[in-house]
Amino acid sequence: MNKLTMPASRRLPTRLPIAMLAVVSMATPSLADTLPVALTKAYRTNPDLQAARAALRVSDEEVAIARSGYRPSLSIDATASQTDQDAGDIGQGRIGLQLDQSLFDGSVTRNGVRGALARVDSERGTLINTEQEVLLSAIAAYLDVLRDSDVVGIREANLDFLNQQVSSAQTRFDVGEDTNTAIAEAQARQADATAQLARAQAQESISEATYRQIIGKAPEQLQSVEIPESLLPTTLPGAIDSALQTHPRLASVQALGEAARFDMNRTRGALRPTLGLSARVERVEDDLPSGDTRRQDGTNASVTLQLRVPLYQAGLASARVRQSHQLVVQRDLQTEAISVQLQSGVESAWAQLNAARAAQSATETQITAAQLARRGKLNEQDVGLATTLDVLNAQQDVLAAELASINAERDTIVASYSLLAATGRLQADTLMIPVEPYEPDLHFDAVNRRWFGYQDRSER
C-alpha cells in the first residue's frame, strides 16, 4: 500500500491545519519528516527566501538614506603650512567647523522618503510572494519524493509478479502445458520491468536531491499528506476576488506605482528654488608678529543663507520629469497586466484541481476493475482458459492503474496548494506552520530614523 493512497482511516484528518498536524508528528519517530516539519525547515533556511529577506532589508535602508536629506551635515577641516621667507620660516595652522543644513530643497527629500517607503511596501509584497513560491516548491518536492518512493515500491512488486510468471511459464512448459513463446513473453516483460525499476529508482534519487536543495536536508521517513480542504476557496469568483484583493504580487506592483508617483514629484523639485544654511567657525594661528598686516591669528565665525533659483538647466530637469511620468504610466499598465495574470492563474489552478480530483476518482475505479480482471485471468490460467500473455496484459493494466492513481493523488494535493498560492494565501501564518515568523518591522524600526552607526543591531 502506498503512502499517498492509504485508506482515509489511516490518514490524518483532512481539515486539521498544518500546525495541528505537527502535534501528531510528535508521536512519530524523531527521524520522521512530516510536511509541517519540512516546511518549517524550508521557511527557516531556504536560501531564496533568505535572499528575499535581505533584499527587503536593503530597501529599509533606502528610507534611512532618503531621510538624511532632512538632517544637517557637520564636518571639521584642518590645514597646516610652512612658508620659507627671507625673514625666516613662517608656520600657519587652520582648523574649521562647518555646519550645512537644507531649509527647503523643493520637496525633494519629502517625496524621496515617501517613494522609499512605497518601495519598502513593494519589497514586502515581493518577500511574501517569494515565501509562497518557496513553500509551494517545498510541498511539491515533498510529494514528489513520496510519489517516487511509492512508484519504486509498485515497480518492485510488479517485477516480483513477473518473476513468478517467468517461473510459472517455465514450469508449465516443462510439463507440456505451455510453449517457449509464453516464456519469451514473460521474460520480455520481466526485462522491461527491470529497466523501469531502475528508472524509477533514478527518479527517486533526483527528487531527493531537489528536496535537499529546497528544504535543506535529506528526506527521512516522509509521512502521508492530506488536501487542505478547510483552506480552499469554495467558489471560483470568491477565489478570484481573494487574489485581486490580497495577492502579494499585485500589492507589490501597486506599491511600485505609488513609488513612481513620488519619484516624479521628486524630479520636479529640480525646477523649484532651494534654500540652505551654512555656519562656520574657524580658528587660525600663525607665526607672524602681531603688528604684521598679513597676520591672521584669531577665531572667525560666519552664517550664510543661500537661495538658489533655477532658470534654465539645459533641458535636463524637464526630460527627467517627462521620463518619470512615463514610468508612472508603465507601472499602471503593469498593475493591470498583473491583475489579468492573477485572474487567469486562479482560473487555471481551479481547473487543474478539478481535473486532478476527477482523475483521482477515476483511477480508484480503474484500480479496482484492473485488479478484479487480473484475478480472473489468474484463475482462468489455472484451468487453461487464459494464456500467459492474457495474465501479463492484465498485470500491465493493474500497473498502469496504480501508477496513474499515485500521480493523480500527488497532482490533486499539489493543485490544491497551487490554488492557495494563486489566491495569495499560501503563507506561513495561513498554513499555521509551527515556526516563529519573520518580522520585517524589527529591522525597519531599527534603521528608519537612525541618525548614525553602521552596525546592524536588528534581528535578521
Side-chain angles (χ1 to χ4, degrees):
M1 181 176 296
N2 62 70
K3 298 169 187 170
L4 283 174
T5 57
M6 62 174 57
S9 60
R10 292 181 56 189
R11 294 178 179 172
L12 298 172
T14 298
R15 296 183 178 176
L16 283 178
I18 283 186
M20 298 178 67
L21 303 187
V23 176
V24 179
S25 70
M26 295 175 62
T28 62
S30 59
L31 294 179
D33 286 344
T34 62
L35 182 59
V37 169
L39 294 183
T40 297
K41 179 69 173 177
Y43 185 86
R44 289 173 175 167
T45 64
N46 183 271
D48 292 333
L49 194 50
Q50 295 282 11
R53 291 166 182 166
L56 175 57
R57 293 193 293 273
V58 171
S59 293
D60 292 343
E61 297 292 353
E62 290 294 334
V63 178
I65 292 171
R67 288 192 188 279
S68 66
Y70 287 130
R71 300 168 186 153
S73 62
L74 186 65
S75 62
I76 294 178
D77 58 88
T79 60
S81 64
Q82 188 76 17
T83 304
D84 186 10
Q85 296 185 355
D86 294 339
D89 293 342
I90 299 175
Q92 184 183 70
R94 182 188 303 268
I95 184 170
L97 179 65
Q98 178 81 24
L99 172 70
D100 295 297
Q101 172 67 61
S102 173
L103 300 179
F104 179 71
D105 63 359
S107 299
V108 169
T109 298
R110 182 181 66 176
N111 286 296
V113 171
R114 291 178 176 179
L117 289 171
R119 275 184 284 275
V120 168
D121 290 339
S122 174
E123 201 63 44
R124 289 191 179 192
T126 299
L127 173 60
I128 296 174
N129 193 61
T130 302
E131 177 185 319
Q132 287 201 139
E133 293 174 351
V134 168
L135 292 178
L136 184 58
S137 296
I139 292 168
Y142 189 99
L143 291 168
D144 285 348
V145 174
L146 270 180
R147 176 201 61 194
D148 294 338
S149 175
D150 290 340
V151 169
V152 169
I154 289 175
R155 294 283 183 191
E156 288 174 343
N158 179 59
L159 182 57
D160 290 341
F161 180 88
L162 294 175
N163 289 339
Q164 295 173 8
Q165 287 301 307
V166 170
S167 177
S168 297
Q170 183 65 54
T171 300
R172 286 192 296 273
F173 175 78
D174 292 341
V175 297
E177 295 181 359
D178 221 331
T179 65
N180 278 327
T181 301
I183 297 175
E185 290 169 344
Q187 289 174 338
R189 298 291 179 92
Q190 180 188 48
D192 180 68
T194 301
Q196 294 297 335
L197 175 58
R199 293 189 183 96
Q201 290 169 337
Q203 182 58 51
E204 183 181 22
S205 297
I206 293 172
S207 295
E208 289 175 351
T210 302
Y211 183 100
R212 286 193 297 271
Q213 174 189 345
I214 296 173
I215 296 177
K217 64 182 294 292
E220 299 178 27
Q221 301 181 22
L222 303 191
Q223 307 298 303
S224 60
V225 179
E226 283 292 328
I227 298 175
E229 296 285 2
S230 62
L231 301 178
L232 295 179
T234 56
T235 64
L236 178 56
I240 294 174
D241 184 63
S242 176
L244 296 180
Q245 289 187 7
T246 63
H247 201 286
R249 277 190 67 199
L250 186 59
S252 177
V253 73
Q254 286 173 338
L256 284 180
E258 289 299 311
R261 286 172 171 80
F262 289 125
D263 288 345
M264 180 174 64
N265 291 333
R266 180 170 57 85
T267 57
R268 286 175 176 163
L271 303 173
R272 303 187 183 106
T274 60
L275 181 64
L277 170 70
S278 295
R280 182 175 178 82
V281 177
E282 186 177 73
R283 172 68 181 174
V284 180
E285 293 185 359
D286 58 31
D287 297 337
L288 291 171
S290 59
D292 196 316
T293 58
R294 294 173 298 170
R295 181 177 176 82
Q296 300 182 29
D297 193 51
T299 301
N300 301 313
S302 64
V303 177
T304 304
L305 278 176
Q306 183 181 33
L307 174 66
R308 180 176 179 274
V309 180
L311 298 178
Y312 180 65
Q313 300 165 313
L316 176 62
S318 299
R320 286 176 174 169
V321 171
R322 295 194 305 271
Q323 181 186 51
S324 61
H325 173 71
Q326 292 305 316
L327 182 59
V328 171
V329 174
Q330 177 190 5
R331 296 304 187 194
D332 289 342
L333 293 174
Q334 287 177 337
T335 299
E336 294 180 14
I338 292 297
S339 298
V340 174
Q341 291 176 17
L342 291 178
Q343 180 173 343
S344 176
V346 171
E347 292 172 347
S348 176
W350 184 273
Q352 289 175 356
L353 178 57
N354 288 336
R357 288 184 189 274
Q360 183 180 352
S361 177
T363 57
E364 293 173 359
T365 303
Q366 183 182 359
I367 287 177
T368 301
Q371 290 175 342
L372 180 61
R374 181 184 61 183
R375 186 161 52 250
K377 290 300 180 182
L378 287 171
N379 292 334
E380 292 175 1
Q381 185 186 45
D382 290 339
V383 296
L385 297 178
T387 65
T388 298
L389 182 59
D390 293 334
V391 174
L392 295 177
N393 289 338
Q395 170 61 16
Q396 187 65 29
D397 291 341
V398 172
L399 175 64
E402 290 176 342
L403 294 177
S405 178
I406 290 174
N407 282 291
E409 179 123 2
R410 179 265 180 199
D411 292 345
T412 301
I413 299 173
V414 171
S416 65
Y417 283 104
S418 296
L419 179 58
L420 274 180
T423 60
R425 299 183 62 241
L426 187 65
Q427 301 171 25
D429 55 349
T430 303
L431 298 179
M432 298 177 64
I433 298 174
V435 64
E436 183 178 354
Y438 178 78
E439 295 291 349
D441 285 339
L442 291 178
H443 183 267
F444 179 81
D445 293 340
V447 303
N448 178 27
R449 298 182 182 276
R450 191 172 176 182
W451 279 59
F452 56 85
Y454 59 86
Q455 292 182 337
D456 188 355
R457 299 192 298 266
S458 66
E459 297 183 11
R460 294 181 63 186

